[in-house]
Amino acid sequence: MTSIEQVATLATFGSVWAVLAVGHNLADDVFGQSDHQAVSKGAPSAAEVADGASPRRDWGACLGRVAQYHLVMAVMLGLAWAVLPIQMSWAGLEAGLIVW
């Protein structure tokens, strides 16, 4: 790898890191979880399950929150990919979303 390629790789990494950091703050603070998600995403206790509550109760709230968060992150990465002159692959985008 030449030094120019190394600089481009570092620039891509830095740009994507900055976009993901902003996306994280937007997903958490601006487009954050709803009140319903916040109060509903706890797992039932062992006593509640013993009393007949589903062990999967409120998974919908958790999954909704995760989907909402990753949608904001994906939109931010997509905008960066469209606007900034950086080289990214689909696999790289997916890896960034999974790791972040």
Side-chain angles (χ1 to χ4, degrees):
M1 181 180 287
T2 67
S3 62
I4 292 175
E5 291 172 328
Q6 289 175 337
V7 169
T9 300
L10 288 173
T12 298
F13 176 81
S15 300
V16 170
W17 181 87
V19 168
L20 288 175
V22 170
H24 170 78
N25 286 323
L26 283 174
D28 269 355
D29 300 331
V30 178
F31 303 108
Q33 67 186 351
S34 67
D35 290 339
H36 169 72
Q37 289 170 334
V39 296
S40 298
K41 65 181 185 180
S45 67
E48 290 173 321
V49 172
D51 288 339
S54 170
R56 293 172 194 80
R57 184 187 75 195
D58 298 329
W59 277 22
C62 287
L63 293 174
R65 172 66 181 130
V66 169
Q68 178 185 19
Y69 178 89
H70 282 84
L71 177 64
V72 171
M73 298 294 275
V75 167
M76 290 298 294
L77 279 173
L79 288 172
W81 196 7
V83 175
L84 299 175
I86 53 179
Q87 298 291 323
M88 289 192 287
S89 66
W90 284 106
L93 288 172
E94 290 176 47
L97 287 173
I98 290 169
V99 171
W100 196 270

